Amino acid sequence: MSLAALLVLADGRFPAGGHAHSGGAEAAVKAGRIHDDVTLEAFCRGRLHTAGLVAAALAAAAALGMDPAVLDAAADARTPSPALRAAARRLGRQLLRAARATWPSAELEALAAAFPRGAHQPVVLGVTARAAGLGPLDAAHVAAYEAVGGPATATVRLLGLDPFEASGVLARLAPALDEVAARAADAARLALSAGPEALPAASSPLLEIAAEAHAAWPVRLFAS
């Protein structure tokens, strides 16, 4: 495992397109569900244990070498919202573009050929982690962090929230991030023998509903 590669992949400045997405925070802010650091923490904690856990497990499974096509179908099945499926594929396409330039590999090239319109972002993340010499737990940590880091950063822009308060939220979530990443990696290892049905399918209906409403807004700051 290369610690430097892990830091590069998790860095918000890595050109993977995540800065254009709020992870549902924009819709939550408009609805009044996020209005300060306390409500941001509650939102992020809920997102971490649902969408974050699912994404982390998919990424870990891809890092272990499971068939990306099987995992992409599993991601589709776990994402009822068409808007979120489209966003996940856009993010996957952008991440794959950055990954191919950063860690060239036959697996990344094969993924690009198989999914010209983009695979789900967590699947691409796991294959990218594998190309970078990282393991399933590393991939799970990156996916789990993205699940909360995106909304926290977006809320600073949406609400003018103090960046120090947003960073404090992420620091308080650190033990939960470690727990979710470990659960995701364990589930991915089980899925190697038991199949994708063993991967988590935690649901977050409010995120799905809000994503559909957000996609219909004529003016918005973030793509999702």
Side-chain angles (χ1 to χ4, degrees), residues 11 35 54 89 109 116 124 128 140 149-150 178 185 210:
D11 192 337
H35 51 81
V54 171
R89 292 189 182 280
E109 293 304 316
V124 179
T128 299
D178 289 343

Side-chain angles (χ1 to χ4, degrees), residues 10 12 97 123 141 160-161:
R97 181 182 177 189
V123 178
H141 266 113
L161 187 70

Side-chain angles (χ1 to χ4, degrees), residues 3 44 48 52 63 70-71 87 97 103 106 115 144 148 171 173 181 188 197 205 208 218 220-221 224:
L3 180 57
C44 287
L48 174 63
V70 171
L71 293 174
R97 181 182 177 189
W103 295 288
F115 294 93
V148 296
L173 287 171
E197 295 79 9
E208 303 277 347
R220 55 183 187 265
L221 184 60
S224 71

Side-chain angles (χ1 to χ4, degrees), residues 38-149:
V38 175
T39 49
L40 171 62
E41 182 172 346
F43 175 87
C44 287
R45 194 174 295 277
R47 193 172 195 279
L48 174 63
H49 286 282
T50 53
L53 174 62
V54 171
L58 289 164
L64 280 170
M66 283 188 68
D67 185 347
V70 171
L71 293 174
D72 192 75
D76 254 356
R78 288 160 173 76
T79 313
S81 162
L84 286 183
R85 289 199 298 270
R89 292 189 182 280
R90 286 197 302 271
L91 283 167
R93 188 167 60 247
Q94 179 64 25
L95 172 57
L96 186 55
R97 181 182 177 189
R100 291 167 71 192
T102 308
W103 295 288
S105 80
E107 284 185 273
L108 289 173
E109 293 304 316
L111 186 63
F115 294 93
R117 301 182 66 181
H120 276 261
Q121 193 268 359
V123 178
V124 179
L125 174 60
V127 179
T128 299
R130 187 175 171 88
L134 301 173
L137 184 58
D138 303 314
H141 266 113
V142 174
Y145 180 75
E146 286 178 346
V148 296

